[in-house]
Structure formats: structure tokens, C-alpha cells
Amino acid sequence: MEGYSSEFSAGGAGGKVDTGTIMEQVKVQIAVANAQELLQRMTDKCFKKCIGKPGSSLDNSEQKCIAMCMDRYMDAWNTVSRTYNARLQKERARM
Amino acid sequence: MDNFENFSSSDKAEAAELQRMIAIEQQKAQFQAQVHTFTDVCWDKCVDSPGSKLDNRTETCLVNCVERFIDTTLTITNRFTQMVQKGAH
């Protein structure tokens, strides 16, 4: 997948379409949207788990909890990603 | 797009290739979106308090959760299809 940009970035002879640049932009936009989604859900979950009655600032235990929660959420995300991918492969093999 | 007829055949081929490559990225993005949904739901089901790592019990729960969620989706789809075919709403 990653070798494509160099193949197409020359744009062809007077090409109106620079495929390489466009694909880079598409990938970046998708990656940014993905990161935003991750952060939004992570914030929601970790606020619920770590902050009881909101005080006038985040104390040390709350900060530590948030840091741990973030790491665990990403671990969970990776586990889910692996599991889902394996399941998709299994279903494809059946077809 | 209304000037498409004026494009050379190599430009058209490039545009078609671009569409194909974008479709692949969209498919990857759809996969990511599903992972977000599953993680959201399964986090609530499986994780009580976040520790210094995910223990085995939690890992197993997450794996089972994803599989059962997919099974549930399939079950609902199949049964709903049957219901519609029988003419019920």
C-alpha cells in the first residue's frame, strides 16, 4: 500500500491530477479524524472512571488515574482491533 | 466533472485509479470506525477500574465482547430479514 505515492507523484505527462499528493492528503485527513474520535471517546470514558465529584482542580490521584486510563483504553482499542480483524478474515475465508 | 470528455485517456485512467485508491482508504476508515464503536461498548462491559495493565480476565472479556457483538448483529439481521419476508412489521 505504502509504495503507491512514489509511483504516481510524477503526475503523468502534464497530468491534471497529482495522485500522490491527493492520496497523502486523504490519508492525513482520515488519520486526523481517527485520532479525534479516539480522544473524544477516551476523554468520555476516563472522565467517568477517574473523576468523582469534580473539585476545583485535578488532584494527583485523578491525574494518575487519567494517565493509566488512557494507556488501558489504547490497549483495549488494540485488542478490539486485532479481534475484529481476525473475525473478518475468518468470515472472508468462509465465503 | 462536465469536462470529463475533454480529458485524455491517461487522465481518465489516473482518475479511475485515484477513485480505487480512495475507496480502499474509505474501507480502512470504516474498519477504524467500527473498532471505535466496539471499544466504546466493550470498555463499559469489561473494564471496572483501569490498572497498570489489562489483566487476562479483561482481555478475554474484550475478545468475547467483540465476537458476541458481531454475532448479535448477524442474529438480528437474519431474524429481521425473516420477519420482513413473512410480511410482519
Tab-separated table of all heavy atoms in Angstrom, chain A residues 46-76:
chain	number	residue	atom	x	y	z
A	46	CYS	N	-12.621	8.102	30.471
A	46	CYS	CA	-11.684	8.337	31.573
A	46	CYS	C	-12.208	9.387	32.550
A	46	CYS	O	-11.920	9.318	33.748
A	46	CYS	CB	-10.304	8.691	31.019
A	46	CYS	SG	-9.576	7.280	30.148
A	47	PHE	N	-12.978	10.322	32.056
A	47	PHE	CA	-13.614	11.264	32.980
A	47	PHE	C	-14.573	10.512	33.888
A	47	PHE	O	-14.583	10.694	35.107
A	47	PHE	CB	-14.356	12.351	32.202
A	47	PHE	CG	-14.954	13.419	33.076
A	47	PHE	CD1	-14.182	14.477	33.519
A	47	PHE	CD2	-16.288	13.352	33.476
A	47	PHE	CE1	-14.726	15.464	34.340
A	47	PHE	CE2	-16.835	14.331	34.292
A	47	PHE	CZ	-16.046	15.382	34.731
A	48	LYS	N	-15.370	9.617	33.280
A	48	LYS	CA	-16.337	8.840	34.063
A	48	LYS	C	-15.647	7.967	35.098
A	48	LYS	O	-16.108	7.837	36.221
A	48	LYS	CB	-17.185	7.959	33.137
A	48	LYS	CG	-18.214	8.721	32.348
A	48	LYS	CD	-19.287	7.796	31.770
A	48	LYS	CE	-20.381	8.604	31.049
A	48	LYS	NZ	-20.317	8.473	29.573
A	49	LYS	N	-14.507	7.335	34.704
A	49	LYS	CA	-13.828	6.408	35.623
A	49	LYS	C	-13.043	7.128	36.711
A	49	LYS	O	-12.888	6.616	37.811
A	49	LYS	CB	-12.843	5.498	34.852
A	49	LYS	CG	-13.497	4.482	33.956
A	49	LYS	CD	-13.780	3.158	34.654
A	49	LYS	CE	-14.302	2.136	33.649
A	49	LYS	NZ	-15.512	1.465	34.073
A	50	CYS	N	-12.492	8.291	36.394
A	50	CYS	CA	-11.461	8.877	37.260
A	50	CYS	C	-11.906	10.076	38.092
A	50	CYS	O	-11.294	10.361	39.120
A	50	CYS	CB	-10.255	9.296	36.414
A	50	CYS	SG	-9.378	7.890	35.704
A	51	ILE	N	-12.910	10.779	37.601
A	51	ILE	CA	-13.307	11.980	38.338
A	51	ILE	C	-14.638	11.730	39.022
A	51	ILE	O	-15.660	11.513	38.382
A	51	ILE	CB	-13.355	13.209	37.398
A	51	ILE	CG1	-11.952	13.763	37.186
A	51	ILE	CG2	-14.193	14.331	38.013
A	51	ILE	CD1	-11.100	13.048	36.219
A	52	GLY	N	-14.608	11.720	40.362
A	52	GLY	CA	-15.836	11.515	41.117
A	52	GLY	C	-16.590	12.817	41.192
A	52	GLY	O	-17.258	13.247	40.248
A	53	LYS	N	-16.464	13.474	42.328
A	53	LYS	CA	-17.092	14.784	42.462
A	53	LYS	C	-16.076	15.817	42.006
A	53	LYS	O	-15.003	15.916	42.588
A	53	LYS	CB	-17.491	15.023	43.920
A	53	LYS	CG	-18.431	16.173	44.086
A	53	LYS	CD	-19.659	15.784	44.899
A	53	LYS	CE	-20.445	17.056	45.217
A	53	LYS	NZ	-21.771	17.069	44.778
A	54	PRO	N	-16.364	16.561	40.950
A	54	PRO	CA	-15.362	17.488	40.404
A	54	PRO	C	-14.995	18.563	41.420
A	54	PRO	O	-15.850	19.256	41.951
A	54	PRO	CB	-16.078	18.105	39.204
A	54	PRO	CG	-17.256	17.254	38.938
A	54	PRO	CD	-17.639	16.612	40.231
A	55	GLY	N	-13.645	18.651	41.676
A	55	GLY	CA	-13.157	19.668	42.599
A	55	GLY	C	-12.748	20.913	41.855
A	55	GLY	O	-13.102	21.099	40.686
A	56	SER	N	-11.943	21.749	42.496
A	56	SER	CA	-11.536	22.999	41.854
A	56	SER	C	-10.310	22.821	40.978
A	56	SER	O	-9.901	23.739	40.281
A	56	SER	CB	-11.277	24.071	42.922
A	56	SER	OG	-10.357	23.569	43.869
A	57	SER	N	-9.729	21.608	41.007
A	57	SER	CA	-8.651	21.259	40.079
A	57	SER	C	-8.512	19.737	40.078
A	57	SER	O	-9.121	19.064	40.908
A	57	SER	CB	-7.329	21.906	40.493
A	57	SER	OG	-6.864	21.306	41.692
A	58	LEU	N	-7.706	19.201	39.145
A	58	LEU	CA	-7.463	17.763	39.112
A	58	LEU	C	-6.351	17.430	40.113
A	58	LEU	O	-5.228	17.884	39.956
A	58	LEU	CB	-7.036	17.319	37.710
A	58	LEU	CG	-8.047	17.423	36.565
A	58	LEU	CD1	-7.411	17.004	35.248
A	58	LEU	CD2	-9.263	16.552	36.838
A	59	ASP	N	-6.672	16.630	41.132
A	59	ASP	CA	-5.616	16.296	42.100
A	59	ASP	C	-4.713	15.183	41.544
A	59	ASP	O	-4.955	14.656	40.470
A	59	ASP	CB	-6.213	15.939	43.466
A	59	ASP	CG	-7.039	14.668	43.432
A	59	ASP	OD1	-6.680	13.734	42.695
A	59	ASP	OD2	-8.071	14.614	44.145
A	60	ASN	N	-3.659	14.847	42.325
A	60	ASN	CA	-2.646	13.888	41.858
A	60	ASN	C	-3.228	12.531	41.500
A	60	ASN	O	-2.861	11.938	40.491
A	60	ASN	CB	-1.556	13.701	42.920
A	60	ASN	CG	-0.440	14.708	42.746
A	60	ASN	OD1	-0.211	15.167	41.631
A	60	ASN	ND2	0.233	15.059	43.833
A	61	SER	N	-4.117	12.020	42.344
A	61	SER	CA	-4.671	10.694	42.082
A	61	SER	C	-5.516	10.715	40.815
A	61	SER	O	-5.515	9.757	40.042
A	61	SER	CB	-5.489	10.201	43.275
A	61	SER	OG	-6.627	11.012	43.454
A	62	GLU	N	-6.217	11.824	40.588
A	62	GLU	CA	-7.018	11.942	39.378
A	62	GLU	C	-6.116	11.986	38.143
A	62	GLU	O	-6.388	11.329	37.134
A	62	GLU	CB	-7.909	13.192	39.445
A	62	GLU	CG	-9.128	13.003	40.341
A	62	GLU	CD	-9.857	14.313	40.638
A	62	GLU	OE1	-9.215	15.387	40.590
A	62	GLU	OE2	-11.057	14.249	40.945
A	63	GLN	N	-5.005	12.733	38.236
A	63	GLN	CA	-4.055	12.810	37.119
A	63	GLN	C	-3.491	11.433	36.782
A	63	GLN	O	-3.423	11.035	35.625
A	63	GLN	CB	-2.878	13.746	37.479
A	63	GLN	CG	-3.274	15.157	37.832
A	63	GLN	CD	-3.111	16.123	36.677
A	63	GLN	OE1	-3.093	15.712	35.521
A	63	GLN	NE2	-2.992	17.410	36.990
A	64	LYS	N	-3.096	10.698	37.848
A	64	LYS	CA	-2.513	9.355	37.663
A	64	LYS	C	-3.541	8.423	37.034
A	64	LYS	O	-3.230	7.638	36.139
A	64	LYS	CB	-2.074	8.770	39.014
A	64	LYS	CG	-0.713	9.167	39.458
A	64	LYS	CD	-0.090	8.109	40.388
A	64	LYS	CE	1.067	8.726	41.174
A	64	LYS	NZ	0.742	8.870	42.603
A	65	CYS	N	-4.771	8.535	37.534
A	65	CYS	CA	-5.844	7.687	37.018
A	65	CYS	C	-6.070	7.948	35.540
A	65	CYS	O	-6.212	7.015	34.757
A	65	CYS	CB	-7.129	7.925	37.818
A	65	CYS	SG	-8.523	6.955	37.236
A	66	ILE	N	-6.064	9.238	35.178
A	66	ILE	CA	-6.285	9.600	33.770
A	66	ILE	C	-5.190	9.001	32.892
A	66	ILE	O	-5.454	8.435	31.833
A	66	ILE	CB	-6.345	11.132	33.601
A	66	ILE	CG1	-7.626	11.683	34.224
A	66	ILE	CG2	-6.290	11.515	32.121
A	66	ILE	CD1	-7.658	13.195	34.353
A	67	ALA	N	-3.934	9.109	33.336
A	67	ALA	CA	-2.811	8.582	32.563
A	67	ALA	C	-2.945	7.071	32.373
A	67	ALA	O	-2.789	6.545	31.264
A	67	ALA	CB	-1.492	8.926	33.238
A	68	MET	N	-3.269	6.368	33.461
A	68	MET	CA	-3.429	4.911	33.381
A	68	MET	C	-4.606	4.557	32.493
A	68	MET	O	-4.529	3.627	31.680
A	68	MET	CB	-3.655	4.319	34.782
A	68	MET	CG	-2.391	3.812	35.424
A	68	MET	SD	-2.635	2.605	36.718
A	68	MET	CE	-3.846	3.387	37.736
A	69	CYS	N	-5.676	5.295	32.654
A	69	CYS	CA	-6.887	5.036	31.887
A	69	CYS	C	-6.623	5.175	30.396
A	69	CYS	O	-7.073	4.357	29.597
A	69	CYS	CB	-7.990	5.983	32.347
A	69	CYS	SG	-9.515	5.821	31.417
A	70	MET	N	-5.877	6.223	30.021
A	70	MET	CA	-5.542	6.431	28.613
A	70	MET	C	-4.801	5.228	28.049
A	70	MET	O	-5.119	4.733	26.968
A	70	MET	CB	-4.650	7.670	28.456
A	70	MET	CG	-5.358	8.979	28.596
A	70	MET	SD	-4.208	10.356	28.458
A	70	MET	CE	-3.730	10.252	26.737
A	71	ASP	N	-3.781	4.757	28.811
A	71	ASP	CA	-2.995	3.603	28.354
A	71	ASP	C	-3.874	2.366	28.213
A	71	ASP	O	-3.766	1.634	27.223
A	71	ASP	CB	-1.856	3.311	29.339
A	71	ASP	CG	-0.779	4.383	29.304
A	71	ASP	OD1	-0.770	5.174	28.355
A	71	ASP	OD2	0.056	4.397	30.231
A	72	ARG	N	-4.737	2.139	29.221
A	72	ARG	CA	-5.620	0.959	29.158
A	72	ARG	C	-6.621	1.067	28.028
A	72	ARG	O	-6.974	0.070	27.394
A	72	ARG	CB	-6.337	0.749	30.494
A	72	ARG	CG	-5.435	0.528	31.700
A	72	ARG	CD	-4.592	-0.732	31.632
A	72	ARG	NE	-3.443	-0.638	30.738
A	72	ARG	CZ	-2.320	0.018	30.988
A	72	ARG	NH1	-2.205	0.679	32.127
A	72	ARG	NH2	-1.330	0.038	30.138
A	73	TYR	N	-7.108	2.280	27.777
A	73	TYR	CA	-8.074	2.448	26.686
A	73	TYR	C	-7.431	2.106	25.349
A	73	TYR	O	-8.032	1.448	24.503
A	73	TYR	CB	-8.659	3.872	26.658
A	73	TYR	CG	-9.865	3.971	25.751
A	73	TYR	CD1	-11.139	3.628	26.210
A	73	TYR	CD2	-9.738	4.377	24.425
A	73	TYR	CE1	-12.241	3.683	25.385
A	73	TYR	CE2	-10.850	4.439	23.578
A	73	TYR	CZ	-12.089	4.088	24.072
A	73	TYR	OH	-13.192	4.142	23.238
A	74	MET	N	-6.182	2.545	25.180
A	74	MET	CA	-5.485	2.231	23.929
A	74	MET	C	-5.168	0.743	23.842
A	74	MET	O	-5.253	0.160	22.756
A	74	MET	CB	-4.224	3.096	23.783
A	74	MET	CG	-4.590	4.545	23.478
A	74	MET	SD	-3.208	5.596	23.016
A	74	MET	CE	-2.524	5.963	24.609
A	75	ASP	N	-4.828	0.102	24.964
A	75	ASP	CA	-4.657	-1.346	24.975
A	75	ASP	C	-5.952	-2.026	24.537
A	75	ASP	O	-5.934	-2.957	23.721
A	75	ASP	CB	-4.299	-1.855	26.394
A	75	ASP	CG	-2.900	-1.464	26.819
A	75	ASP	OD1	-2.091	-1.100	25.939
A	75	ASP	OD2	-2.626	-1.532	28.036
A	76	ALA	N	-7.061	-1.563	25.102
A	76	ALA	CA	-8.359	-2.143	24.762
A	76	ALA	C	-8.648	-1.953	23.280
A	76	ALA	O	-9.112	-2.863	22.589
A	76	ALA	CB	-9.461	-1.508	25.610
